[in-house]
Amino acid sequence: MNAEIIAVGSELLLGQIVNTNARFLSQQLAEHGINVYYHTVVGDNDKRLKGVIESAEQRSNLIIFTGGLGPTKDDLTKETISRHIGKKLVFDEEALVSIKQYFARTGREMTENNKKQALVIEGSDVLPNDHGMAPGMVITVQGITYILLPGPPKEMEPMFLEYGIKSILSKMDKHERIESKVLRFFGIGEAALETEIEDLIEKQQNPTIAPLAADGEVTLRITAKHTSREICENMIAVVEEEILERVGQFHYGNDQTSLMKELVRELTARNIKIASAESLTGGMFQENLTAIPGAGKIFMSGIVSYTNEAKAKLLNVKRETIEKHGVVSEQCATEMAENVRSILDADAGISFTGVAGPEELEGNPVGTVYIGISFRDSEPKSFKLNFSGSREQNRVRSVKYGCYYLLRELAARK
């Protein structure tokens, strides 16, 4: 079964609301092995909606509509579809009673146009709306199944889970499911990683491998299809093992994790308290760290020392270090990391200093970054990076590399 999701509503095209319905429906359909090849958004216009339906019918045998089932004149989804498939709209008595009861419960007056929401396509299976007024409906015509769902997620999601998916599964001869696992990598580019596993990508069938790069990270999504979840997971595990044999040194976690989440998890497991000193990142490391639940167990505090004077006064960076080497230097980075750890009596300290942009500093080009790391029982280290992105990208990547270097140093201390 190949599905297409059509969201109806001019407010989506105007950017007034986000189409979260498509994501939800795609996730649900994937779990049952239903392919979703197209997402379409169309405004409240019957001619354009008709054109979208005709295109969808050429490539999909399951078309799911969200939105356009309300009481106003611009809610025209079921009207357009009913005309297109040659069916009348009729009142569903149960839906009409439910709508009247809703208004009675809320103490509001029911206007005449609200009855429109009880209209359904003749011959369709009606999907009750337990969280709103407009019912959904399912109808199959000439081998194509049309499902109409309300637009508000609080109505659409429970309706689909309780009634919609059951209707779809009843029409399927073979019930497959799709399982995915996301492998997350850092410290290697998308092109380099793809080169290492190029032969695996070229011969992929089931499972499939899909690379994706974003903000200096690379992910690989491994997707398997089978009727059994256990077999899907076993298929994914085989491919995962092959991939990690080649690029496992850059792998830091799976699925919805992040470098910062992994860092908090590792520091918590070892009961290591950390402090931070930030210049170019302006507190971004601390902000991202404290956004993770449980960070309070391992984060002592942080100091944002943006100016040279602040570095000297708040972090006790030697003035001779600043005069001789500059603040954009490994010497300054290591002093910042070591001193913030000592000042705040932490087990580990991390520092960020460099040139975020847009102008160079102390003769260093934009994107020059030093990260310092200090542990209570060892000599401090510094790492130099050269970025070529925007000011914001340089700051974001600095924080991610800080997490990466900390995780690497922690792994070496096991």
Side-chain angles (χ1 to χ4, degrees):
M1 189 171 269
N2 296 327
E4 180 157 346
I5 299 168
I6 299 175
V8 184
S10 298
E11 65 276 11
L12 294 164
L13 294 174
L14 293 170
Q16 294 172 342
I17 62 172
V18 178
N19 184 16
T20 58
N21 287 341
R23 178 184 178 184
F24 170 82
L25 289 169
S26 287
Q27 291 173 335
Q28 295 299 319
L29 294 169
E31 287 187 11
H32 297 281
I34 299 170
N35 304 309
V36 179
Y37 291 141
Y38 297 94
H39 284 183
T40 304
V41 179
V42 62
D44 301 307
N45 180 282
D46 58 347
K47 291 182 180 179
R48 287 193 286 272
L49 177 55
K50 187 175 186 296
V52 166
I53 295 169
E54 290 172 348
S55 296
E57 289 171 338
Q58 301 302 311
R59 58 201 183 194
S60 306
N61 54 7
L62 172 63
I63 307 175
I64 303 178
F65 301 83
T66 63
L69 302 183
T72 60
K73 290 183 179 180
D74 62 351
D75 291 311
L76 43 75
T77 299
K78 58 190 171 189
E79 289 83 354
T80 305
I81 296 171
S82 65
R83 285 194 299 270
H84 178 71
I85 63 177
K87 300 285 185 178
K88 295 188 298 183
L89 288 176
V90 297
F91 277 106
D92 182 79
E93 290 302 323
E94 288 187 21
L96 187 56
V97 169
S98 177
I99 292 170
K100 290 178 178 178
Q101 290 175 342
Y102 173 83
F103 279 97
R105 285 196 309 271
T106 57
R108 295 162 54 197
E109 181 182 351
M110 179 176 167
T111 56
E112 188 65 23
N113 62 349
N114 275 289
K115 292 182 180 179
K116 175 187 172 186
Q117 295 182 93
L119 286 170
V120 299
I121 298 174
E122 186 178 31
S124 64
D125 296 327
V126 178
L127 307 178
N129 191 337
D130 298 329
H131 299 269
M133 288 184 280
M137 58 207 83
V138 181
I139 189 167
T140 301
V141 179
Q142 296 181 353
I144 298 176
T145 297
Y146 305 81
I147 299 183
L148 288 68
L149 301 169
K154 67 179 182 180
E155 299 177 30
M156 187 280 294
E157 293 181 11
M159 179 186 291
F160 185 79
L161 292 174
E162 185 63 28
Y163 308 109
I165 191 62
K166 293 175 183 177
S167 180
I168 293 171
L169 295 178
S170 71
K171 300 176 186 299
M172 294 176 63
D173 296 327
K174 185 179 180 182
H175 292 184
E176 286 189 314
R177 64 184 301 115
I178 297 174
E179 295 290 335
S180 294
K181 185 173 186 178
V182 176
L183 308 183
R184 296 187 172 274
F185 300 86
F186 193 81
I188 183 173
E190 182 182 17
L193 186 143
E194 192 168 324
T195 299
E196 292 293 329
I197 61 169
E198 188 173 7
D199 59 313
L200 299 180
I201 294 175
E202 287 178 352
K203 71 179 185 182
Q204 65 176 326
Q205 288 183 336
N206 184 22
T208 59
I209 306 168
L212 177 67
D215 289 330
E217 296 189 37
V218 185
T219 64
L220 291 176
R221 180 182 295 276
I222 309 171
T223 304
K225 179 185 287 189
H226 198 275
T227 54
S228 163
R229 173 182 293 215
E230 183 179 0
I231 291 176
C232 280
E233 291 174 348
N234 290 338
M235 294 165 66
I236 290 171
V238 171
V239 175
E240 178 184 3
E241 184 177 358
E242 286 187 273
I243 292 171
L244 295 184
E245 281 179 0
R246 305 184 189 189
V247 289
Q249 67 271 34
F250 302 105
H251 175 248
Y252 76 82
N254 302 322
D255 297 321
Q256 299 304 310
T257 192
S258 67
L259 284 161
M260 189 63 82
K261 286 180 181 178
E262 291 300 308
L263 177 60
V264 171
R265 183 188 60 78
E266 191 66 25
L267 291 172
T268 302
R270 301 186 188 209
N271 193 30
I272 294 176
K273 305 293 191 297
I274 190 169
S276 63
E278 301 185 61
S279 183
L280 85 153
T281 48
M284 186 180 287
F285 178 85
Q286 301 168 53
E287 179 185 6
N288 291 351
L289 177 63
T290 53
I292 307 299
K297 296 177 182 177
I298 51 90
F299 182 55
M300 298 290 289
S301 186
I303 296 174
V304 177
S305 53
Y306 214 66
T307 66
N308 294 7
E309 194 66 21
K311 290 178 179 66
K313 285 188 174 181
L314 299 178
L315 290 171
N316 299 329
V317 175
K318 298 173 185 173
R319 295 192 181 274
E320 62 187 75
T321 298
I322 296 174
E323 292 170 3
K324 183 177 180 180
H325 302 286
V327 292
V328 185
S329 66
E330 61 175 308
Q331 291 84 359
C332 185
T334 53
E335 279 193 41
M336 287 171 66
E338 194 163 26
N339 291 356
V340 77
R341 178 192 57 73
S342 176
I343 290 168
L344 296 171
D345 194 26
D347 303 305
I350 185 169
S351 68
F352 301 86
T353 184
V355 192
E359 299 175 351
E360 65 176 32
L361 178 64
E362 300 176 343
N364 295 289
V366 171
T368 305
V369 175
Y370 287 91
I371 297 174
I373 292 178
S374 170
F375 286 95
R376 193 187 294 272
D377 56 356
S378 60
E379 289 294 314
K381 294 182 179 181
S382 71
F383 303 88
K384 183 180 181 181
L385 296 163
N386 294 289
F387 298 130
S388 58
S390 66
R391 177 181 175 85
E392 184 65 11
Q393 287 174 325
N394 292 337
R395 298 170 73 237
V396 169
R397 290 173 183 171
S398 295
V399 170
K400 288 191 174 185
Y401 266 96
C403 295
Y404 173 67
Y405 288 134
L406 274 169
L407 284 168
R408 201 172 70 176
E409 291 299 306
L410 288 166
R413 294 167 66 86
K414 285 185 178 178

